[in-house]
Amino acid sequence: MTNEVEGEEGDEEGKEEGGDECGRRPGLLAPALANVGLGLPAIIPLYLTYWLLTDYLPSPCDAFAPDPARSNCDYHTLDHAPMMMFLLAVTGTMLLLALLMVDVLGPRRRGEDRPGRWLAAATLVPVPFLTLLCLAKA
């Protein structure tokens, strides 16, 4: 009988130290995999942001140019800009909602007292996009 009571007290000590019901401390593997998994659909809004920063903003278009034919303007980029901005707003909002669900609300629902592990692993979301960008530049 004494062993059973001591075993139960040991389990409670493991829970108090931040472990789960088995006495294990939660690692970073689950948050890392979840956020890298979120990074796969995040490729779309990240690419749209990349396009707007690298193609649209540095374009030399002048809306009040006296002769548009003489300006060095890429009208193809200008034609696509409103749609790209709209898609960025829609997909960016969906990504932020997914991050909120996975990294903030998920740990609270599971009763984790420190969701900082999940928020720290959110820095892994752009990893798939950056990997593809590096492969495309090579």
Side-chain angles (χ1 to χ4, degrees), residues 18-51:
D20 59 1
E21 56 271 348
C22 296
R24 296 179 300 199
R25 293 196 68 213
L28 290 174
L29 184 61
L33 290 176
N35 282 295
V36 169
L38 277 177
L40 294 174
I43 290 172
I44 297 168
L46 290 173
Y47 174 74
L48 294 171
T49 305
Y50 177 79
W51 183 86

